[in-house]
Amino acid sequence: MTETAGTTSGRLTSLDTLRGFDMLFIMGFTGFLTQFLTALGCRAPWLETQFQHVAWHGLRFEDTIFPLFLFLAGVSWPFSLASARGKGRTDGQIHRKILFRMAALVLLGWIHDNILQFDWEHQRLASVIGRIGIAWAVAAFLYMHTRVRTQVALAALFLVGYWALIRFVPNPDAVIPPGMTPLSCRDYCICGYMDRTFLTVCKPGFDGGAFATLGMPVTAMFGALTGWWLRREGLGEGRKTLAMFAAAAALAVLAVLWLPWCPNIKAIWTPTYALVAGSIALALLALFHWLVDVKGWRAWAYFGVVIGMNAITIYMLQKFVSFPAMSKFFFGGVASLCSPDVGKVVLAAGRVAIVWLLLLFFARKRIFLKV
């Protein structure tokens, strides 16, 4: 199918492009930027911290990568659903597809997190892509069987209900000092208590614990609602884009107004975090949609599309293939001729180039890991 602005099925080029640029930071581009700034002698501590997850309160660039991927998974669902129904798939068949995809992502997440080593003491079950699969499945079922207004109401109910739970139900084992709340510290929060007490096998990590999964479906629902909006017929693409920017601004304002009572905490996916991350994701998609699908400026987008069409592939491959070692093998000689700092830039750039060229080979051969 030819991808054009306003298409009601198939894939949006902007969607794959943005997903690709999101994954770019997972496949080594962060390291390249850090080394590049060092080689230029213009290291900026504030900028470098943007490539590290915030410990508790706050938001950094690194904290937007995960929710953006989840949001985009939600955006793609209305298009996938329309395609499936256009092929005559029944609701039962589509339900099985949703459950299969969820189970496949959970399994791939376990494999990524070393379940094949049978090290049960250290095994983590709350993987990144596994929780993406669960949150996406919730949003997919809701999108299939409820009206848009109902989905908006349910998203609001999710946000308020989850906030009430984490704000007013503290860790029963903690003594919270005066002036503090259950959201002031991980040790005071019911999320940490549940993860340590009942969900220990899920092993909380840098991206939070299993209990935080309760806050994630809203992010996927934001994406599904955006996909519904992009599929609407009879509306100009310029109007769609402006509405997406307006919605992004509204989410940001709502988050700011809520901050005094609900801190922005990625580790437990607080409602304000879901709103801020959704705002950023929506604004980015609006920008990419306008540039790529509306204006038709697609030459530069191909770089991201190559990555975005095989995002799960590269996520898994980096677990099994040492791309830094490959970069050293191919570019180590060139790096040795440079100063130490410039040599590191060469190796970091080489890693990104090797990964992209491998994905380009897969794209040319029509090799995709689809779940």
Side-chain angles (χ1 to χ4, degrees):
M1 169 178 290
T2 301
E3 297 167 350
T4 58
T7 183
T8 57
S9 61
R11 302 174 74 97
L12 285 175
T13 306
S14 58
L15 183 60
D16 284 323
T17 305
L18 181 53
R19 184 187 289 115
F21 278 96
D22 188 38
M23 290 299 298
L24 180 63
F25 289 91
I26 293 177
M27 62 187 242
F29 192 64
T30 297
F32 166 76
L33 284 178
T34 302
Q35 298 298 340
F36 183 71
L37 290 173
T38 300
L40 290 178
C42 58
R43 295 185 61 181
W46 175 85
L47 183 60
E48 291 179 5
T49 61
Q50 293 304 306
F51 301 135
Q52 304 168 12
H53 290 285
V54 70
W56 190 243
H57 290 180
L59 183 74
R60 295 174 181 164
F61 174 81
E62 192 76 7
D63 300 315
T64 66
I65 295 174
F66 183 174
L68 176 56
F69 192 91
L70 176 56
F71 173 85
L72 294 176
V75 175
S76 68
W77 176 239
F79 294 90
S80 298
L81 179 61
S83 176
R85 285 175 168 165
K87 295 175 182 177
R89 303 285 192 271
T90 65
D91 280 359
Q93 290 173 319
I94 297 172
H95 290 165
R96 287 192 290 273
K97 177 182 178 180
I98 294 172
L99 293 174
F100 173 81
R101 188 183 189 199
M102 179 184 72
L105 288 172
V106 169
L107 178 60
L108 287 174
W110 289 349
I111 293 173
H112 183 275
D113 289 353
N114 299 315
I115 199 171
L116 297 179
Q117 303 307 308
F118 302 154
D119 182 5
W120 308 121
E121 181 180 355
H122 300 97
Q123 178 61 44
R124 185 179 181 226
L125 299 183
S127 68
V128 171
I129 60 174
R131 288 186 293 159
I132 286 175
I134 294 170
W136 169 84
V138 172
F141 276 117
L142 290 175
Y143 182 83
M144 274 190 70
H145 297 293
T146 61
R147 296 173 180 268
V148 169
R149 290 184 179 180
T150 303
Q151 292 169 53
V152 173
L154 287 173
L157 184 62
F158 266 115
L159 291 172
V160 174
Y162 183 56
W163 169 73
L165 175 64
I166 61 179
R167 172 61 180 82
F168 297 108
V169 182
N171 176 354
D173 293 339
V175 177
I176 302 178
M180 307 288 276
T181 74
L183 297 178
S184 299
C185 171
R186 189 187 300 269
D187 292 336
Y188 303 158
C189 182
I190 187 63
C191 301
Y193 170 78
M194 294 296 292
D195 285 329
R196 289 189 302 270
T197 306
F198 301 105
L199 301 171
T200 53
V201 69
C202 296
K203 299 292 189 305
F206 68 87
D207 54 335
F211 195 81
T213 308
L214 291 176
M216 296 179 182
V218 171
T219 302
M221 291 172 72
F222 287 159
L225 289 168
T226 303
W228 165 82
W229 177 253
L230 287 170
R231 287 194 67 252
R232 288 194 64 182
E233 297 179 320
L235 295 176
E237 296 303 316
R239 178 182 173 185
K240 288 182 181 179
T241 304
L242 287 175
M244 290 165 66
F245 278 121
L251 292 180
V253 169
L254 182 58
V256 170
L257 293 175
W258 205 351
L259 277 176
W261 302 274
C262 181
N264 186 87
I265 308 172
K266 176 187 183 295
I268 56 175
W269 215 280
T270 58
T272 46
Y273 173 73
L275 290 170
V276 171
S279 172
I280 294 171
L282 185 53
L284 285 173
L285 182 59
L287 176 62
F288 275 62
H289 176 63
W290 183 77
L291 292 174
V292 179
D293 299 319
V294 179
K295 303 299 291 184
W297 298 340
R298 301 189 180 189
W300 66 276
Y302 185 69
F303 178 85
V305 171
V306 167
I307 304 170
M309 293 183 71
N310 242 328
I312 298 297
T313 300
I314 194 55
Y315 182 82
M316 295 300 297
L317 271 183
Q318 291 193 118
K319 184 67 176 182
F320 314 123
V321 179
S322 177
F323 290 108
M326 293 176 66
S327 180
K328 186 175 182 180
F329 177 82
F330 286 107
F331 302 105
V334 175
S336 68
L337 300 176
C338 307
S339 67
D341 285 342
V342 175
K344 291 178 181 178
V345 175
V346 171
L347 293 177
R351 172 187 173 179
V352 174
I354 289 171
V355 175
W356 189 83
L357 289 171
L358 177 62
L359 293 177
L360 176 63
F361 172 78
F362 287 163
R364 292 285 177 85
K365 297 296 182 181
R366 308 299 297 173
I367 300 173
F368 303 107
L369 176 58
K370 297 182 179 180
V371 294

